[in-house]
Amino acid sequence: MRTALARLTLASLLGCAPAFGQSLVVCTEASPEGFDITQYTAATTADASAETVFERLVQFAPGSTRLVPALAESWEISPDGLQYTFTLRQGVKFHRTDYFSPTREFNADDVLWSFERQLDPQHPWHKLAPRGFPYAESMGLPGLISAVEKLDDHHVRFTLRHPEAPFLADLAMGFASIYSAEYGDLLLAAQKADQLNNLPIGTGPFVFQRYQKDAQVRFNANPDYWSGKPKIDHLLLAITPDPNVRIQKVKAGDCQIAVYPKPTDIPALRQEPNLKVEELDSLLVAYVALNTRHKPLDDVRVRQAINLAFDRKAYLKAQFGEGAATPAIAPYPPTLWGSDPQLKGWPHNPARAKQLLEEAGIQPGLKLSIWTRPGGGPTNPNPGIGAQMLQDDLNKIGIQADIRVFEWGELIKRAKQGEHDLIFMGWVGDNGDPDNFLTPNLSCAAAKSGENQAGWCNAEFDELLRQARASTDQEVRADLYRQALAIFQQEAPWIALAYPKQFAVLRPNVRGFTLSPLGANNFSRVELAP
């Protein structure tokens, strides 16, 4: 018998009779944290905002890390790498809804508003983001971008203080989404700033309709979309934290796509005659961050001991089964350039772990907390099992750890404040550049902003990242990143767990859905066959 949640039909989800040729229901893993994507980093939030409502100057071609035009038709980069001049697409319309009616088309003013809000402390919207701007802050963009200038209505120039190799790819990431300056001005004048996060307006393929917390997000196709109206008329994200229920619902036809199935279920799902399984080697890493701001985790010997204590081989088998993930060593997969094939992971050696704890003066009975989430996603398919395995292994070396489970939004908020000791996390590469795994997650700027959950700040590591970003020579950059990875390995601010594959389960009538190596789920090209 299915659970009550699983018995929800497509008609009840949509609030109308089903229209399979026009309405797409996607069973997804968690609620969005909000819809102002500049304030958030979670993939589920990006799926519900950056991949539906908003767009950027440039974008990645479907299923790849290749940059193609979006709201900018073309761009020029100065020979010294300090100026990026964009020619903006004309005729692009912002969404028209019952809460906003635009009076003009997209232009340079919207680009300036979208970036100055994040970069300029004097901008009237800068202090109105309760969570700040985690990407802009962790990547040090206020110190990188010296100016964003409007040359005319259809040309914008970014001037950098120093060359930054990944800058153009960075502009394809969610935080670089373009907002309506007109909408922002109206909200500020009406003292309704919160509405920007609750009722978003963009230029993307779908128009936000409504959000029912922890239940569903509804969108309608954008009839005025510059790239052509999507094939589906309605998109519904059905928030279904339990991966078992997601699979039940896609089997029953209550949703047409179920994202993030449990990897251990994939072999059986491949045998289902009425389902399709999509698979991709993605830029994913699963890890446990060790909060170096808390004693005794500030002692490298304690962090090394925890790495030695954890049985990664058993963890991977329990969480991912066979072939769905490979053991992690560094902060990004070895398929990405700049990896170091000579780098070795921490072996499972509880005896040596105990010795290190003794050397650090740690007596048996040390108490730590392990933080995780309910449900499951691609980097942590079964959070309960993973946390219990870590708890058991730590207990064997004399560390008593209690497990604390928080809903995703609360977990992220409290982790940013540094309340945790150990926390299970994951990261999806946003732009195909190694820097995207390192600077947002492990830099000193990211530690200051709270996005670096380890709170780890190493000056030598930071300087290597800075030099790598400033170089346009990929071989030079790769060598610098390999040096940085050696420091990461020795300092052990994470337990690097796994490089998971990405999966999605589809009904057989789904056409045009493409998994992205960057972990994004975009449904604008999906259509449903009769």
Side-chain angles (χ1 to χ4, degrees), residues 52 71 228 257 319 413 474:
T52 50
L71 291 180
I257 300 175
Q319 285 280 48
K413 181 178 74 173
Q474 186 166 305

PDB file of all heavy atoms in Angstrom, residues 52 71 228 257 319 413 474:
ATOM      1  N   THR A  52      14.268  28.467 -13.881  1.00  0.00           N
ATOM      2  CA  THR A  52      12.885  28.661 -14.315  1.00  0.00           C
ATOM      3  C   THR A  52      12.590  30.137 -14.575  1.00  0.00           C
ATOM      4  O   THR A  52      12.332  30.550 -15.701  1.00  0.00           O
ATOM      5  CB  THR A  52      11.909  28.131 -13.241  1.00  0.00           C
ATOM      6  OG1 THR A  52      12.277  28.680 -11.963  1.00  0.00           O
ATOM      7  CG2 THR A  52      11.940  26.616 -13.173  1.00  0.00           C
ATOM      8  N   LEU A  71      21.134  36.399 -22.272  1.00  0.00           N
ATOM      9  CA  LEU A  71      20.643  37.773 -22.321  1.00  0.00           C
ATOM     10  C   LEU A  71      21.652  38.701 -22.985  1.00  0.00           C
ATOM     11  O   LEU A  71      21.315  39.828 -23.344  1.00  0.00           O
ATOM     12  CB  LEU A  71      20.300  38.270 -20.910  1.00  0.00           C
ATOM     13  CG  LEU A  71      19.088  37.591 -20.271  1.00  0.00           C
ATOM     14  CD1 LEU A  71      18.827  38.141 -18.879  1.00  0.00           C
ATOM     15  CD2 LEU A  71      17.840  37.743 -21.138  1.00  0.00           C
ATOM     16  N   GLY A 228      11.384  31.335 -27.420  1.00  0.00           N
ATOM     17  CA  GLY A 228      10.235  30.522 -27.807  1.00  0.00           C
ATOM     18  C   GLY A 228       9.556  29.903 -26.601  1.00  0.00           C
ATOM     19  O   GLY A 228      10.208  29.393 -25.695  1.00  0.00           O
ATOM     20  N   ILE A 257       8.756  13.017 -13.886  1.00  0.00           N
ATOM     21  CA  ILE A 257      10.195  12.972 -13.626  1.00  0.00           C
ATOM     22  C   ILE A 257      10.415  12.925 -12.122  1.00  0.00           C
ATOM     23  O   ILE A 257       9.803  13.701 -11.384  1.00  0.00           O
ATOM     24  CB  ILE A 257      10.922  14.200 -14.208  1.00  0.00           C
ATOM     25  CG1 ILE A 257      10.726  14.278 -15.724  1.00  0.00           C
ATOM     26  CG2 ILE A 257      12.414  14.158 -13.864  1.00  0.00           C
ATOM     27  CD1 ILE A 257      11.327  15.528 -16.351  1.00  0.00           C
ATOM     28  N   GLN A 319      25.816   3.565   0.859  1.00  0.00           N
ATOM     29  CA  GLN A 319      25.091   4.718   0.331  1.00  0.00           C
ATOM     30  C   GLN A 319      24.831   4.630  -1.169  1.00  0.00           C
ATOM     31  O   GLN A 319      23.781   5.059  -1.643  1.00  0.00           O
ATOM     32  CB  GLN A 319      25.884   6.008   0.613  1.00  0.00           C
ATOM     33  CG  GLN A 319      25.824   6.460   2.061  1.00  0.00           C
ATOM     34  CD  GLN A 319      24.535   7.200   2.375  1.00  0.00           C
ATOM     35  OE1 GLN A 319      23.454   6.747   2.034  1.00  0.00           O
ATOM     36  NE2 GLN A 319      24.638   8.330   3.036  1.00  0.00           N
ATOM     37  N   LYS A 413      21.067  27.496   7.244  1.00  0.00           N
ATOM     38  CA  LYS A 413      21.110  28.749   7.998  1.00  0.00           C
ATOM     39  C   LYS A 413      21.997  28.626   9.230  1.00  0.00           C
ATOM     40  O   LYS A 413      22.861  29.477   9.494  1.00  0.00           O
ATOM     41  CB  LYS A 413      19.690  29.160   8.410  1.00  0.00           C
ATOM     42  CG  LYS A 413      19.640  30.482   9.179  1.00  0.00           C
ATOM     43  CD  LYS A 413      18.214  30.880   9.520  1.00  0.00           C
ATOM     44  CE  LYS A 413      17.662  30.034  10.640  1.00  0.00           C
ATOM     45  NZ  LYS A 413      16.333  30.510  11.098  1.00  0.00           N
ATOM     46  N   GLN A 474      46.110  27.576 -18.668  1.00  0.00           N
ATOM     47  CA  GLN A 474      45.480  26.472 -17.938  1.00  0.00           C
ATOM     48  C   GLN A 474      46.504  25.544 -17.293  1.00  0.00           C
ATOM     49  O   GLN A 474      46.260  25.022 -16.205  1.00  0.00           O
ATOM     50  CB  GLN A 474      44.559  25.670 -18.861  1.00  0.00           C
ATOM     51  CG  GLN A 474      43.763  24.597 -18.124  1.00  0.00           C
ATOM     52  CD  GLN A 474      42.624  24.051 -18.946  1.00  0.00           C
ATOM     53  OE1 GLN A 474      41.776  24.800 -19.418  1.00  0.00           O
ATOM     54  NE2 GLN A 474      42.594  22.740 -19.122  1.00  0.00           N
TER      55      GLN A 474
END
